[in-house]
Amino acid sequence: MRIDIITVLPELLESPFNYSIIKRAKEKGLAEIYVHDLREFSTDKHKRVDDYSFSKGAGMVMSIQPIEAAISKLKSEREYEEVIYTTPDGYKFDQKEANVLSLKQNLIILCGHYKGIDQRVRDHFITKEYSIGDYVLTGGELAAAVILDSVLRLLPGVISDETSALTDSFQDNLLSPPVYTRPADYKGWKVPEILLSGNDKKIDDWKHQQAIEQTKARRPDLYKKYLREET
Ligand code: 6GU
C-alpha cells in the first residue's frame, strides 16, 4: 500500500509515522508513506496556501492552486483509488471504512486546515471526506494519523496473530470484554472464577455476555447496530 499525504505541517506527522504501528508497517515493506509539504506547490511569491473567504468573516480558506498542483503531480505518476480529505464536516470514519481502505493500493490524503478548503477542490478531486469524531481538531494531520493507524494495522503481517484485527472491538459492533492476567489474586482482588475454569465454551460465552453488557451500557448506538446486524 502507498499513501501520499499532503499537508501544511509535515513535521507534525513525523513522530506518528516513525514510531508506532506505522513504523512497523513501513519496515516490513507493507506500506510506503510519503509526506508532501503543500507550500512547495504554491506559485505565490510568499508560498501562501490560503486566502480570505469570499463569504465575509468566515476565516481563511485553503486555496485551490497548490492543492491542484500537488494532486495533479501525484496523479501523473500513478493511479490513486481514493483522494481523501480530513475535515470535521466529513463523513464519520469508522471500522468499516478502515476495512475498506485497507484493501486499496494507492491513496492520497489531504489534511484540512483553517476554515476548510475551496469547495472546488472537494467537487473535483476529493473522493472521500472523513471526520474522526464530533470534536474539532486544529488540523487534519492528527486525524490522518489516526486513520492510517487503523488502516495499516489491518494489513496482513503488520500485527501478530495473537492480537489479530479480526477479534477487535467494533468488528462485530461490540466493545471488548474485560481482560485479566496473572496473578489470579492480587491483594484480595480476584479474577472472575470462570476464567480459571479451563472450560473454553463457558469462557467464550462469558466474554460474549460481558461484551454485550459493556456495549449496552456505554454505547447504546453501537448496541442497536449489533442487534440489527447480528444475524
Ligand atoms: Cl478529520 N479534522 C479536524 N480538523 N477536526 C476533526 C476531524 C478532522 N475529525 C474530527 N475533528
Side-chain angles (χ1 to χ4, degrees):
M1 184 172 210
R2 172 181 172 126
I3 303 108
D4 289 90
I5 300 174
I6 303 168
T7 168
V8 289
L9 283 175
E11 301 85 4
L12 190 54
L13 290 170
E14 249 163 53
S15 154
F17 292 173
N18 289 312
Y19 300 89
S20 82
I21 196 92
I22 299 182
K23 181 183 184 193
R24 186 118 62 96
K26 287 202 304 191
E27 282 174 351
K28 289 193 167 179
L30 298 167
E32 285 174 77
I33 299 167
Y34 300 91
V35 178
H36 308 275
D37 186 347
L38 184 62
R39 271 174 227 290
E40 288 173 13
F41 294 89
S42 173
T43 52
D44 177 77
K45 60 175 180 290
H46 304 297
K47 297 276 166 214
R48 281 186 58 174
V49 293
D50 62 341
D51 208 333
Y52 293 98
S53 170
F54 278 121
S55 343
K56 278 199 194 73
M60 302 305 279
V61 173
M62 288 170 79
S63 310
I64 190 168
Q65 181 276 316
I67 298 173
E68 190 270 330
I71 293 175
S72 295
K73 174 168 183 288
L74 289 169
K75 281 187 168 176
S76 73
E77 292 163 351
R78 67 196 63 74
E79 297 223 341
Y80 288 90
E81 289 143 292
E82 304 289 354
V83 181
I84 296 164
Y85 171 50
T86 53
T87 177
D89 60 358
Y91 295 86
K92 192 183 78 185
F93 183 77
D94 61 12
Q95 188 62 47
K96 204 182 259 171
E97 292 297 322
N99 294 349
V100 169
L101 291 184
S102 74
L103 302 171
K104 310 278 181 187
Q105 281 310 308
N106 298 325
L107 301 174
I108 292 175
I109 304 181
L110 170 66
C111 301
H113 253 272
Y114 314 111
K115 282 290 173 191
I117 54 175
D118 190 303
Q119 181 60 32
R120 290 167 290 186
V121 173
R122 298 170 85 151
D123 292 344
H124 299 290
F125 295 109
I126 303 299
T127 61
K128 281 184 186 284
E129 307 187 326
Y130 290 131
S131 158
I132 62 165
D134 291 341
Y135 39 81
V136 179
L137 303 170
T138 315
E141 284 74 16
L142 296 178
V146 165
I147 289 168
L148 272 193
D149 188 296
S150 72
V151 169
L152 295 179
R153 64 188 292 287
L154 296 173
L155 302 182
V158 172
I159 56 176
S160 65
D161 287 346
E162 230 166 287
T163 45
S164 163
L166 290 175
T167 63
D168 285 342
S169 246
F170 293 115
Q171 286 294 7
D172 51 7
N173 293 316
L174 287 178
L175 302 182
S176 295
V179 291
Y180 297 87
T181 185
R182 288 182 294 181
D185 183 337
Y186 186 75
K187 300 183 177 177
W189 293 330
K190 296 196 175 74
V191 167
E193 201 77 48
I194 193 148
L195 294 178
L196 311 173
S197 68
N199 183 331
D200 288 342
K201 166 85 176 74
K202 273 195 172 155
I203 291 174
D204 280 348
D205 289 348
W206 179 85
K207 281 166 63 181
H208 187 60
Q209 205 49 47
Q210 291 285 318
I212 288 174
E213 278 167 32
Q214 298 267 32
T215 310
K216 237 174 168 170
R218 297 173 180 194
R219 294 290 305 275
D221 57 319
L222 263 192
Y223 183 64
K224 264 195 220 149
K225 231 167 146 185
Y226 162 73
L227 291 177
R228 250 187 285 130
E229 293 176 19
E230 195 185 7
T231 44

